[in-house]
Amino acid sequence: MNIGQAAAASGVSAKMIRYYESVGLIRKAVRTEAGYRVYSDDEVHTLRFIRRARDLGFSVEQIAGLLTLWQDRDRSSADVKRIALEHVTELEQKVEGLKQMIATLKHLSASCHGDHRPDCPILDDLALQPPAKSARRANAGDGSRARHA
């Protein structure tokens, strides 16, 4: 099937299929004499795997590891579980950060009069000098994003 058909069958856009090829998540597609990409049912199955992993928030690097484990029938399920639980921890940290951002914004919004006056504690807070990166990383609950997937 061509890239459009593979995209429709897998739920992965043609642009992302090309990207996944470029970063090595999937093999370079076989091409017709006219240069069109051709995908097998197995490759579409792999694309569905990638799509589901992305839907669960796994990074490209994590997906590469999961794909390797998925294709290795001699692997230990403990390796897969370790990756999943590490990801759970990352997601929980992101949730905590989001909760703290919400609390901060609620506090700032409650402090703002929301009237015709120009003074605004929300803008005042945004204009403050941010803490140093090392301080943000040390304070896991400040809502900053040390890295993203």
Side-chain angles (χ1 to χ4, degrees), residues 2-146:
N2 66 31
I3 195 167
Q5 293 165 325
S10 66
V12 176
S13 71
K15 180 179 179 179
M16 289 307 296
I17 292 172
R18 288 188 290 272
Y19 171 73
Y20 294 148
E21 282 183 21
S22 73
V23 298
L25 274 187
I26 60 172
R27 292 184 300 245
K28 297 280 185 198
V30 174
R31 293 189 179 248
T32 65
E33 287 184 28
Y36 293 106
R37 290 173 166 89
V38 178
Y39 298 91
S40 68
D41 289 338
D42 286 342
E43 290 163 324
V44 170
H45 190 94
T46 299
L47 288 168
R48 286 187 191 122
F49 180 99
I50 293 168
R51 168 67 193 263
R52 179 68 178 137
R54 290 298 289 168
D55 288 347
L56 291 172
F58 285 101
S59 69
V60 169
E61 294 80 16
Q62 290 168 318
I63 294 171
L66 290 168
L67 279 168
T68 299
L69 291 169
W70 183 48
Q71 294 162 349
D72 177 6
R73 299 308 302 166
D74 294 325
R75 55 104 166 63
S76 165
S77 64
D79 295 333
V80 181
K81 183 175 182 176
R82 178 186 47 77
I83 293 170
L85 291 176
E86 286 172 0
H87 187 55
V88 167
T89 300
E90 291 171 6
L91 291 173
E92 288 172 340
Q93 290 170 347
K94 287 180 183 181
V95 167
E96 270 310 304
L98 290 171
K99 285 179 179 178
Q100 291 182 7
M101 284 185 227
I102 290 168
T104 298
L105 288 169
K106 283 182 176 180
H107 171 74
L108 291 171
S109 295
S111 301
C112 181
H113 295 292
D115 56 17
H116 65 282
R117 293 183 290 176
D119 54 310
C120 178
I122 300 168
L123 295 177
D124 293 343
D125 185 82
L126 293 174
L128 291 176
Q129 180 72 22
K133 284 187 178 184
S134 59
R136 282 192 303 225
R137 286 186 187 134
N139 182 2
D142 73 351
S144 67
R145 295 177 65 182

